[in-house]
């Protein structure tokens, strides 16, 4: 009995490793998930949103990894913040940062708030200074401090430098003294910003639990399908219904 269980565990681990080690290709998306890519080769944003709601986190992350950042951001923003965070958690730091950057400040902050401090710091570090600051500005001082603490001194300083003195000081007060000194030293090297982001009227409270950092992430895609200038609706109602039914059947539980 013990041998059987051990063998079963080995098989499961090998399967899990194989299933998460190889990134999905666009051709596999066309084959496995009909309706996500239109006949003209563009992504169908509405079907992607239905897919993301119905499918499992890893499956969604595999597909989102191939989607242009601006479309991916719209899809993640359509999900509940916790599920969006689980999907983003499985993306590489580079791709996750690029996706969150295209989201609204509040939606991006809600996703980042649900990530571990380590992953959140890596995501914000892979955003532009201004976009990262806008997201951090919407976090509680405690969470924002933890996020900046998990960034490089230079990247953390660049984010804090774009915030109001009030918010920036509150964040620094929530960082251990040695890290705080390092970040402050880097801030002193930066020119003052022409404008800063005003302190938020309300912030997202720190999460009671966060999603642990992933052991492996999906590597950024080498190529992606460019986004459409306009969203292409499903060709027919029947097609949309069929796609939704297929998604539910495939992803069952």
């Amino acid at each position: 009995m013990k041998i059987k269980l051990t063998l079963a565990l080995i098989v499961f681990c090998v399967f899990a490793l194989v299933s998460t080690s190889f990134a999905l290709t666009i051709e596999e998306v066309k084959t496995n998930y009909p309706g996500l890519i239109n006949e003209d080769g563009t992504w169908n944003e509405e079907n992607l949103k239905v897919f993301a709601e119905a499918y499992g986190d890893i499956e969604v992350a595999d597909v989102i990894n191939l989607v242009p950042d601006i479309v991916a951001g719209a899809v993640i923003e359509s999900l509940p913040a916790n599920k969006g965070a689980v999907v983003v958690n499985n993306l590489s730091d580079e791709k996750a940062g690029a996706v969150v950057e295209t989201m609204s400040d509040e939606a991006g902050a809600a996703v980042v708030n649900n990530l571990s401090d380590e992953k959140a710091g890596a995501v914000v570090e892979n955003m532009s200074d201004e976009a990262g600051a806008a997201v951090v500005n919407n976090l509680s001082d405690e969470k924002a401090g933890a996020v900046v603490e998990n960034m490089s001194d230079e990247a953390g300083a660049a984010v804090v430098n774009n915030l109001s003195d009030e918010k920036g000081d509150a964040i620094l007060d929530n960082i251990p003294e040695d890290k705080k000194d390092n970040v402050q030293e880097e801030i002193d090297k930066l020119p003052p910003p022409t404008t800063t982001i005003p302190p938020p009227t309300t912030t997202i409270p720190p999460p009671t639990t966060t999603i642990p950092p992933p052991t492996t992430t999906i590597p950024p895609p080498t190529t992606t399908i460019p986004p459409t200038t306009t969203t292409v609706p499903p060709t027919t109602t029947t097609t949309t219904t069929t796609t939704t039914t297929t998604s539910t059947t495939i992803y069952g539980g």
Side-chain angles (χ1 to χ4, degrees), residues 53-131:
E53 189 71 51
Y55 285 59
D57 306 323
I58 297 294
E59 292 93 337
V60 175
D62 274 335
V63 171
I64 288 296
N65 189 53
L66 296 171
V67 177
D69 302 332
I70 193 165
V71 179
V75 173
I76 296 297
E77 193 158 340
S78 73
L79 297 171
N82 191 59
K83 175 153 187 178
V86 175
V87 173
V88 167
N89 193 53
N90 284 286
L91 300 174
S92 67
D93 300 335
E94 298 87 345
K95 180 67 175 180
V99 170
V100 173
E101 181 150 355
T102 70
M103 299 169 65
S104 68
D105 302 336
E106 296 79 6
V111 165
V112 168
N113 193 54
N114 281 283
L115 298 173
S116 66
D117 300 334
E118 179 185 341
K119 181 69 177 181
V123 170
V124 173
E125 186 153 350
N126 278 277
M127 299 171 66
S128 66
D129 300 337
E130 296 79 6

